[in-house]
Amino acid sequence: MCTSLTTCEWKKVFYEKMEVAKPADSWELIIDPKLKPNELAPGWKQYLEQHASGRFHCSWCWHTWQSAHVVILFHMHLDRAQRLGSVRMRVFKQLCYECGTAHLDESSMLEENIESLVDNLITSLREQCYEEDGGQYRIHVASRPDGGQHRSEFCEACQEGIVHWKPSEKLLEEEATTYTFSEASNSRTQAGLGYNFFSLRWCLLWASLCLLIVYLQFSFRSSAFL
């Protein structure tokens, strides 16, 4: 039985999409709030969604807030002989910073976000459990952090040691550095091509002049002997 509306939606979308993706196998989705990153039993694989969008609700002061830094951890296992698969899932919570309560609340997500996140999960599952080309990830769901400040001291994922957020200024700085380096490399490449072409053209010209001079000297000497 589902413990929340969001959990029911996750399972509904997952089972529907897996029925299409792998109809011959039976898969289950289990919510596991104690799941730990990189602590895998033999044969299990991991997929980490680092920038999902969700909304949190504090049950103590009724404060709600939107976050583009929701972290979701998946552990996956496929028993090929039994054709049985299992996915354990943990949505990392965030602490309410309005009332300072130690209670960490669940995140709720829009249905279209859940569908895209399940698509990402199935892409990773096909790559790691079936050794197939999983296709494209739905990167628009987890494209980049928003401009708001992420308060890592209130984030369960950050407390678990998952580094998943960078300030927007740092992100823009890295993008600008990458762009500048790329542009500089292209400019150097184009300049190099231009220089090579220019040098080759002048080399051919000088070679032609040298051959002409040699030819004229040979012709002059031949006529002098005549």
Side-chain angles (χ1 to χ4, degrees):
M1 179 178 292
C2 297
T3 57
S4 69
L5 182 61
T6 303
T7 299
C8 289
E9 190 61 37
W10 271 102
K11 291 189 174 184
K12 173 179 174 291
V13 174
F14 176 75
Y15 293 142
E16 288 178 352
K17 288 183 176 290
M18 283 306 299
E19 183 65 26
V20 175
K22 293 295 176 183
D25 297 337
S26 179
W27 281 85
E28 64 174 348
L29 176 65
I30 302 170
I31 308 300
D32 185 355
K34 296 182 179 180
L35 206 62
K36 297 289 185 180
N38 302 317
E39 294 185 8
L40 297 165
W44 285 74
K45 309 295 182 180
Q46 176 173 294
Y47 171 63
L48 185 67
E49 187 75 59
Q50 300 191 59
H51 297 295
S53 295
R55 180 175 295 276
F56 289 88
H57 310 270
C58 178
S59 58
W60 182 259
C61 69
W62 301 103
H63 173 61
T64 64
W65 65 97
Q66 184 76 23
S67 175
H69 312 287
V70 182
V71 176
I72 309 173
L73 175 65
F74 301 96
H75 285 181
M76 309 167 290
H77 180 263
L78 172 63
D79 185 335
R80 292 181 178 271
Q82 300 293 327
R83 305 193 71 91
L84 295 175
S86 180
V87 174
R88 307 189 78 86
M89 166 186 165
R90 176 184 178 183
V91 179
F92 288 89
K93 304 174 184 177
Q94 293 184 14
L95 180 69
C96 176
Y97 53 84
E98 287 291 330
C99 66
T101 178
H103 182 65
L104 291 160
D105 283 308
E106 300 279 353
S107 169
S108 61
M109 300 178 187
L110 296 176
E111 182 179 351
E112 55 267 28
N113 284 348
I114 292 177
E115 289 194 2
S116 297
L117 291 165
V118 170
D119 284 338
N120 284 352
L121 168 62
I122 293 176
T123 296
S124 179
L125 186 148
R126 295 182 66 164
E127 291 174 348
Q128 298 195 72
C129 295
Y130 290 95
E131 299 179 353
E132 299 176 353
D133 180 5
Q136 296 294 322
Y137 286 86
R138 302 283 291 273
I139 58 174
H140 66 276
V141 176
S143 56
R144 57 174 291 172
D146 60 10
Q149 180 72 17
H150 179 65
R151 305 174 70 168
S152 58
E153 67 271 23
F154 295 101
C155 175
E156 195 178 47
C158 291
Q159 299 306 313
E160 292 275 358
I162 300 174
V163 180
H164 64 103
W165 176 83
K166 293 178 182 178
S168 56
E169 295 81 4
K170 180 66 175 177
L171 186 66
L172 292 174
E173 179 184 337
E174 289 180 355
E175 290 178 350
T177 303
T178 302
Y179 175 78
T180 303
F181 178 78
S182 177
E183 288 294 309
S185 298
N186 290 337
S187 299
R188 286 196 298 267
T189 301
Q190 292 174 359
L193 288 174
Y195 176 78
N196 290 338
F197 175 74
F198 183 79
S199 300
L200 180 61
R201 184 176 61 185
W202 278 102
C203 286
L204 290 174
L205 178 61
W206 281 109
S208 301
L209 287 174
C210 290
L211 289 173
L212 180 61
I213 292 172
V214 171
Y215 173 76
L216 290 175
Q217 287 180 346
F218 180 79
S219 300
F220 177 76
R221 289 178 181 177
S222 297
S223 19
F225 282 117
L226 292 173

